[in-house]
Amino acid sequence: MDCNCVSDLLLPPVPALWTPGFAFPDWAYKPESSPGSRQIQLWHFILELLQKEEYHGVIAWQGDYGEFVIKDPDEVARLWGIRKCKPHMNYDKLSRALRYYYNKRILHKTKGKRFTYKFNFSKVVLVNYPILDMANSPFFLAQNHFNGSSATPDCSPEAIQSLFPRLPDTGRGGLFDRGTTAPGPEGDKLRLDTFPFLSSGAQCYTKPPSLLGPYPRSPSFDYPWGFNPYLPGAFSLNNCPKLPPGSLYPSQFYPNPLQSSLSQLPHPFSSLLPPAETGAGERGVAGQNGGANGTAGGQAGRICLPPYPGSLPLGRTDIGNGAALSERETAEANPPGTGLNLGLGAVSLGAGNGTGQQSPTERRGGVKQDPESDSDLEITDLSDCSSENENEHEFSIRKDAGLGNRPQLVLDGKKGSVLPPITSLPPPVSPHPLKSLMPINPHPPSIPPSLSPSMPLHERHRETETLKMIHS
DNA sequence: GGCGGAAACA
DNA sequence: TGTTTCCGCC
């Protein structure tokens, strides 16, 4: 018998990149960091409850940033038990599981306050999040605030390294190049050979080319942390927990996304910026300076836009610039199926929908909330629980209503992007990712025929000399 | 209530 | 690996 328990039902029916609302992206289910398991983890379940207004009676943010109080421990335990098909779950067991997070520094207890815990968001985000978006994550940026001091989050190379355990340890093979420069802001550089998508030959860029259109992914890189930056939405802001407008999260904890530039980050992320980086508007210009060889002044780790002057419909993927686009603008710039809108999606919070909300008490009857809901938080009755993963299919092409019945690519149990219609795919024009940054149908360059590469060199030279004479 | 050890489990 | 279960201790 199928398990009507929520272990399957709660998984987003579509890649979270596409899921509107304050849904957690795929990484929240940790398929990468928990190989072989797509089961929801407790900390994420807690976050889910916290983001649902209807559960504010049982659990809610309270006190310092990241701090929450379990108002109804039994109910939270019951919900968790439902989710995990553990009918005998209770708060004692749940709290033991929460204590398990202490060591992992995902959570810690607020001493002196009953049933009160506090998230270490920097850890939560870091563990699951690619480094660049993490840098732009309001959770991460707000870490300073909720630490209750001006202390910076632990961004030491050791800390970063510890968060990417699959990478080789620090040192020559580590995340950071050390030893060649003195300690300090310039002392430890993210190694570009560890992040091939940051250096990629002669130039550098901030966008995974997949966001700009398909291209032949060859040669393929090995991404040691299991995160492929070329996967759709890998760098998308939509791929990180969204700031629900008017939501559970006090607005003062979330800086204006326009201010959420890397420059706000402490070392070592600040070193990722080109010098004198001030605003998103100048990003492209700065990018031209640093785009020539992937370094700036011999320093590694600069991130810059390619020196392509044309506007790119990048939507929200621009670091520090993405929020400048409204959802509508984003949607218009990247209509579905173009292959350009990967990682984009409407964002709204369930808390604001004002319709169809059920209290936890109402849910106890096992009535599933809004079947059309994108939310993965749909608590159902335990009575049909039999197994946890019977409905999981590791390899499949599935159709989901939310995607207009377009087939969704599912590889190795990991949901991928929606396959755009074949007709929408631009021709694979270049094996090099950067080439995809160029317009698909660029205007023919207005260069004199003498500079045409098809002309033999000596003829070109002669033509050039002729032109010089004419000009003089 | 809160903590952590330990064993079991999937 | 991430819990779940049990337990003794504070």
Side-chain angles (χ1 to χ4, degrees):
Chain A
M1 182 170 61
D2 283 350
C3 176
N4 285 340
C5 210
V6 285
S7 58
D8 292 321
L9 297 175
L10 297 187
L11 290 176
V14 298
L17 304 173
W18 298 83
T19 305
F22 187 58
F24 283 82
D26 275 358
W27 58 253
Y29 297 90
K30 303 196 74 176
E32 294 88 1
S33 48
S34 296
S37 170
R38 278 189 66 87
Q39 284 196 36
I40 187 173
Q41 292 186 245
L42 178 54
W43 65 265
H44 177 228
F45 178 77
I46 296 293
L47 282 175
E48 279 191 0
L49 291 180
L50 284 166
Q51 61 130 5
K52 287 285 185 178
E53 201 169 11
E54 59 263 43
Y55 289 103
H56 285 186
V58 298
I59 186 172
W61 298 110
Q62 197 168 91
D64 292 344
Y65 182 85
E67 195 172 283
F68 65 93
V69 58
I70 299 176
K71 298 175 179 175
D72 188 343
D74 292 335
E75 176 64 9
V76 171
R78 192 188 70 84
L79 294 171
W80 177 236
I82 289 171
R83 173 67 74 93
K84 293 296 292 290
C85 290
K86 295 289 179 184
H88 302 297
M89 181 56 60
N90 55 36
Y91 179 70
D92 183 51
K93 296 171 186 173
L94 177 94
S95 66
R96 182 67 191 94
L98 291 176
R99 293 199 295 275
Y100 159 79
Y101 289 132
Y102 296 174
N103 270 348
K104 305 188 79 174
R105 291 193 286 181
I106 289 173
L107 211 64
H108 63 263
K109 186 74 180 65
T110 301
K111 289 190 168 58
K113 295 183 183 176
R114 294 176 69 202
F115 308 121
T116 304
Y117 300 82
K118 194 171 175 181
F119 271 107
N120 181 358
F121 276 129
S122 70
K123 181 74 175 184
V124 168
V125 173
L126 277 165
V127 161
N128 299 280
Y129 214 64
I131 197 159
L132 293 182
D133 255 1
M134 170 196 71
N136 206 37
S137 164
F139 282 157
F140 191 84
L141 291 171
Q143 186 70 40
N144 287 349
H145 186 104
F146 99 80
N147 277 343
S149 70
S150 60
T152 57
D154 188 3
C155 292
S156 65
E158 291 77 11
I160 301 297
Q161 183 78 51
S162 74
L163 297 172
F164 294 90
R166 295 184 191 182
L167 289 169
D169 200 355
T170 51
R172 187 65 196 98
L175 267 171
F176 295 88
D177 238 343
R178 313 191 69 175
T180 55
T181 47
E186 301 299 322
D188 298 305
K189 300 291 187 186
L190 280 171
R191 288 188 46 188
L192 293 184
D193 55 343
T194 311
F195 296 86
F197 56 95
L198 291 183
S199 56
S200 187
Q203 301 195 41
C204 54
Y205 49 88
T206 60
K207 310 291 183 297
S210 63
L211 294 172
L212 306 169
Y215 68 97
R217 292 180 178 84
S218 175
S220 62
F221 295 116
D222 181 24
Y223 305 102
W225 57 90
F227 161 70
N228 185 340
Y230 291 128
L231 285 177
F235 284 85
S236 164
L237 280 176
N238 264 23
N239 210 14
C240 84
K242 283 298 175 297
L243 314 188
S247 76
L248 327 166
Y249 307 99
S251 58
Q252 67 268 26
F253 295 139
Y254 292 93
N256 184 334
L258 288 171
Q259 300 167 357
S260 301
S261 67
L262 285 168
S263 61
Q264 294 187 355
L265 287 170
H267 150 74
F269 299 106
S270 54
S271 69
L272 295 173
L273 282 171
E277 181 74 42
T278 53
E282 289 80 36
R283 185 83 45 160
V285 175
Q288 293 188 40
N289 294 335
N293 57 8
T295 63
Q299 294 171 346
R302 300 290 184 204
I303 299 176
C304 50
L305 290 173
Y308 170 57
S311 63
L312 294 169
L314 294 173
R316 310 201 112 186
T317 58
D318 273 334
I319 291 178
N321 196 28
L325 283 180
S326 70
E327 294 299 334
R328 185 178 171 185
E329 288 167 335
T330 301
E332 288 173 350
N334 308 285
T338 61
L340 295 174
N341 63 337
L342 301 174
L344 302 172
V347 177
S348 63
L349 179 66
N353 61 21
T355 59
Q357 291 194 351
Q358 290 172 292
S359 71
T361 307
E362 288 170 313
R363 288 164 178 258
R364 288 182 200 197
V367 179
K368 207 175 152 187
Q369 195 190 23
D370 184 9
E372 297 292 316
S373 169
D374 288 306
S375 168
D376 52 358
L377 187 68
E378 294 173 348
I379 309 299
T380 62
D381 195 274
L382 262 176
S383 56
D384 290 328
C385 279
S386 60
S387 67
E388 298 190 359
N389 302 306
E390 289 177 10
N391 292 333
E392 289 191 8
H393 306 289
E394 293 302 310
F395 294 90
S396 62
I397 297 285
R398 47 185 286 196
K399 288 186 173 186
D400 290 296
L403 291 174
N405 289 333
R406 271 186 287 139
Q408 171 196 348
L409 183 62
V410 178
L411 276 180
D412 194 22
K414 300 175 184 177
K415 291 173 185 174
S417 65
V418 173
L419 297 172
I422 296 297
T423 52
S424 74
L425 295 175
V429 292
S430 166
H432 194 287
L434 285 174
K435 298 281 180 63
S436 69
L437 294 170
M438 300 299 291
I440 292 171
N441 296 308
H443 295 293
S446 56
I447 56 172
S450 59
L451 299 180
S452 167
S454 60
M455 184 178 288
L457 203 59
H458 64 279
E459 288 186 25
R460 259 192 277 173
H461 181 70
R462 194 169 47 194
E463 284 282 330
T464 305
E465 292 302 314
T466 307
L467 281 171
K468 280 182 185 174
M469 291 177 62
I470 292 172
H471 279 291
S472 64

